[in-house]
């Protein structure tokens, strides 16, 4: 992702809503539960949310994406944060066209 594209995604994530449809280039990616804590607060460190994770991934995407091209990917998901149950998601019912 180019710097202007990263800036555009980060600007969209400034929207205070709990859900939105991110425009990433020509693609639209629906995201929900943006303020859900994925990593709980510890001491003076605040909780980190899904929005925080998306901000990090958008910022790191120029370096990450070139290494992920043409590689199989799976996701370990913790729907209720890192203290809840987790599962591996290896298959999508219908992957978006850009994947």
């Amino acid at each position: 992702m180019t710097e202007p594209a990263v800036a555009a995604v980060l600007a969209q994530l400034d929207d205070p809503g709990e859900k939105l449809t991110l425009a990433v280039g020509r693609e639209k990616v629906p995201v929900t539960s943006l303020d859900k804590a994925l990593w709980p607060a510890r001491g003076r460190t605040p909780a980190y949310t899904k929005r925080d994770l998306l901000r990090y991934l958008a910022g790191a995407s120029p370096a990450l994406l070139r290494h992920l091209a043409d590689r199989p990917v799976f996701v370990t998901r913790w729907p209720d944060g890192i203290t809840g149950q987790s599962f591996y998601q290896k298959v999508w019912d219908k992957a978006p066209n850009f994947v």
Side-chain angles (χ1 to χ4, degrees):
M1 198 165 12
T2 65
E3 285 188 35
V6 170
V9 169
L10 292 174
Q12 292 172 76
L13 289 168
D14 286 340
D15 184 313
E18 262 298 290
K19 64 181 181 177
L20 60 91
T21 300
L22 281 174
V24 183
R26 294 184 310 236
E27 305 301 331
K28 306 286 187 228
V29 181
V31 291
T32 61
S33 305
L34 288 168
D35 295 322
K36 180 183 207 175
L38 300 179
W39 291 273
R42 293 185 78 187
R44 293 187 294 192
T45 303
Y48 290 102
T49 65
K50 185 189 277 189
R51 184 184 313 270
D52 296 324
L53 176 61
L54 290 172
R55 287 178 165 288
Y56 171 78
L57 291 173
S61 67
L64 288 176
L65 291 176
R66 65 176 164 247
H67 298 289
L68 295 176
D70 300 321
R71 294 179 183 263
V73 175
F74 72 90
V75 177
T76 304
R77 294 185 56 190
W78 287 270
D80 297 315
I82 64 169
T83 58
Q85 293 291 317
S86 67
F87 67 93
Y88 292 105
Q89 181 175 348
K90 299 178 189 176
V91 179
W92 293 356
D93 293 334
K94 183 175 185 285
N97 292 334
F98 64 91
V99 175

